[in-house]
């Protein structure tokens, strides 16, 4: 069965420090991968999506970047965190079939920038 | 631009009351529609989804949603809520265009059910 792992679960980082959040998927190949951010009172915002290795599309301009070095690995990064980067970050994957079987989400990372 | 709107940000109900959460979408082309739920401290879970066919979709835990194409709506309903339905509910739409199928969420509705 397919599983998605996301870590760390919680992270407190000072302003100006770098960030690296990792997401891996098991049990499937060539998935579509997504990073979402859930800010308090603002719902879920799509940050990046990827349809293959090295292929990244950004939905909103921001202080973050994403990379997909391997088929089932998706990394969210920042060189210098801002206070506004605080939030709950979710990784998700879907198949190539128009999401017919839904999107599966990881357990999320709660990032607090102090 | 693609978007999903949820009309109610906070809803408070008593147990056994009926529930309807509004959702409208703006999406060119064929769209798939979803409702997700996030219980306190838990992951996002899929409640139900619509792709084609019968516009009345039944999901888990007694929830259903009706797709009305002419109104671009996909409202979530439950005839009688329980305290355990307290959660945040997200409507989402996915369109397949240009080789991508990306999921866009509404802002969410926080439902509180009082016993």
């Amino acid at each position: 069965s397919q599983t998605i792992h996301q870590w760390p679960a919680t992270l407190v980082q000072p302003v100006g420090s770098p960030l690296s959040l990792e997401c891996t998927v098991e049990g499937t190949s060539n998935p579509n991968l997504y990073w979402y951010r859930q800010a308090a009172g603002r719902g879920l915002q799509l940050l990046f999506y990827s349809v293959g290795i090295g292929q990244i599309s950004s939905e909103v301009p921001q202080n973050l970047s994403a990379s997909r070095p391997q088929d089932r690995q998706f990394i969210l990064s920042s060189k210098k965190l801002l206070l506004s980067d605080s939030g709950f970050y979710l990784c998700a994957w879907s198949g190539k079939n128009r999401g017919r079987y839904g999107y599966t989400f990881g357990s999320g990372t709660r990032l607090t920038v102090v | 631009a693609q978007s999903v709107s949820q009309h109610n940000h906070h809803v408070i109900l008593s147990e056994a009351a009926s529930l309807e959460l509004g959702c409208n979408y703006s999406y060119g082309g064929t769209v798939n529609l979803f409702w997700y739920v996030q219980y306190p401290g838990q992951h996002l879970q899929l409640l139900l989804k619509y792709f084609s066919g019968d516009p009345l979709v039944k999901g888990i835990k007694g929830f259903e949603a009706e797709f009305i194409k002419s109104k671009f709506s996909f409202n979530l309903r439950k005839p009688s809520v329980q305290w355990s339905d307290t959660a945040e509910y997200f409507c989402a739409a996915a369109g397949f265009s240009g080789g991508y199928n990306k999921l866009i969420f509404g802002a969410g509705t926080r439902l509180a059910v009082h016993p």
Side-chain angles (χ1 to χ4, degrees), chain A residues 37-55:
Chain A
R37 177 169 58 201
Q38 186 176 16
R42 296 181 62 185
L44 283 144
Q45 182 184 36
L46 178 62
L47 301 177
F48 301 95
Y49 63 97
S50 170
V51 299
I53 295 174
Q55 299 178 62

Side-chain angles (χ1 to χ4, degrees), chain A:
Chain A
S1 64
Q2 301 94 352
T3 55
I4 180 168
H5 302 281
Q6 201 179 328
W7 67 92
T10 306
L11 192 60
V12 180
Q13 292 283 96
V15 168
S17 64
L19 173 74
S20 180
L21 302 181
E22 189 163 344
C23 171
T24 59
V25 180
E26 295 177 358
T28 187
S29 60
N30 197 25
N32 287 349
L33 296 171
Y34 311 85
W35 278 111
Y36 285 86
R37 177 169 58 201
Q38 186 176 16
R42 296 181 62 185
L44 283 144
Q45 182 184 36
L46 178 62
L47 301 177
F48 301 95
Y49 63 97
S50 170
V51 299
I53 295 174
Q55 299 178 62
I56 309 294
S57 295
S58 173
E59 282 294 296
V60 293
Q62 59 204 316
N63 185 44
L64 302 168
S65 62
S67 62
R68 185 169 176 176
Q70 300 180 45
D71 181 46
R72 289 169 289 178
Q73 184 184 31
F74 204 25
I75 297 172
L76 183 69
S77 304
S78 174
K79 292 182 179 178
K80 289 185 178 182
L81 283 169
L82 306 172
L83 286 173
S84 57
D85 293 324
S86 292
F88 190 59
Y89 290 84
L90 285 163
C91 180
W93 77 272
S94 75
K96 301 295 184 185
N97 50 15
R98 295 169 58 189
R100 184 165 291 273
Y101 302 107
Y103 295 66
T104 303
F105 287 84
S107 54
T109 296
R110 185 161 302 282
L111 171 66
T112 304
V113 182
V114 296

Side-chain angles (χ1 to χ4, degrees), chain B residues 68-111:
Chain B
I68 303 180
K69 188 175 182 179
S70 61
K71 295 184 178 180
F72 299 94
S73 70
F74 190 56
N75 293 354
L76 181 70
R77 299 195 293 248
K78 186 171 184 179
S80 176
V81 295
Q82 302 171 321
W83 176 80
S84 58
D85 293 323
T86 294
E88 189 160 16
Y89 293 81
F90 295 93
C91 182
F96 188 81
S97 62
Y100 305 125
N101 56 336
K102 54 181 181 178
L103 191 63
I104 306 294
F105 282 84
T109 298
R110 287 188 181 273
L111 171 66

